Amino acid sequence: MKWNDDKSLFLTRIFVWISAAALIVLCVGAPWIFSWFIRERMILSPDSRNYFLATTYTVAIPAAAALYMMNRLLANIKREEVFTEKNTGYLRGMSWCCLAAGLIFLASSFYYPAFFALCAAAVFMALILRVIKNVFAQAEEIKKENDYTI
């Protein structure tokens, strides 16, 4: 089977939908997941379950928003609308979502230090998305100049 851009785009969109489904399952199953986790990790207080739930449900908001924007971005790319203001906006929005998640994980690292690793990963992802957003913005400007050139 020959791999091409269409198949890669299709596979990426499948992963976005799988991630959205996993987010829904996590949000629905979080009370049971964290009850089990806390029971297995004897060092955690049973009251910490509420903190984990607060972190999960709070992070779910920017995560869902980022998945939505990623899906819209991929849909635009499929329509061959690549260097547009909408796509630059989607990338900007996704970077803000990652930064918001990073801040939530930073606050959550005070009760569970392992969240600091997720904070670092989310902030790093926000930086990567900002760089890509800046590249898209520059390409968008070049495209506009080329469109006006005869």
Side-chain angles (χ1 to χ4, degrees):
M1 173 170 80
K2 186 176 177 190
W3 198 252
N4 60 29
D5 291 340
D6 288 336
K7 290 179 183 173
S8 177
L9 194 60
F10 177 74
L11 181 63
T12 305
R13 289 191 81 185
I14 294 291
F15 281 127
V16 169
W17 282 102
I18 290 171
S19 297
L23 181 63
I24 292 168
V25 168
L26 174 64
C27 286
V28 171
W32 297 282
I33 293 168
F34 291 122
S35 292
W36 170 82
F37 179 72
I38 291 167
R39 203 172 37 251
E40 293 299 314
R41 304 264 321 203
M42 300 292 187
I43 59 172
L44 296 173
S45 161
D47 296 334
S48 64
R49 175 181 175 258
N50 293 333
Y51 294 124
F52 281 101
L53 290 174
T55 298
T56 301
Y57 294 137
T58 307
V59 162
I61 296 167
L67 286 170
Y68 172 79
M69 287 183 264
M70 191 178 305
N71 190 49
R72 299 306 322 140
L73 175 68
L74 292 169
N76 288 345
I77 292 171
K78 182 176 168 66
R79 288 191 304 271
E80 297 183 6
E81 299 170 7
V82 181
F83 300 116
T84 65
E85 282 185 48
K86 276 185 180 179
N87 291 347
T88 303
Y90 289 141
L91 288 165
R92 181 182 297 109
M94 286 188 287
S95 72
W96 283 112
C97 288
C98 287
L99 184 61
L103 293 174
I104 293 165
F105 285 132
L106 178 63
S108 299
S109 68
F110 288 105
Y111 74 86
Y112 192 66
F115 278 132
F116 191 75
L118 292 175
C119 168
V123 170
F124 186 68
M125 192 67 216
L127 290 173
I128 291 171
L129 285 167
R130 288 308 271 196
V131 169
I132 294 170
K133 188 271 309 175
N134 291 335
V135 170
F136 264 62
Q138 287 289 347
E140 181 186 330
E141 289 300 316
I142 293 169
K143 181 181 176 279
K144 283 179 186 176
E145 288 176 18
N146 287 342
D147 289 345
Y148 293 128
T149 304
I150 297 176

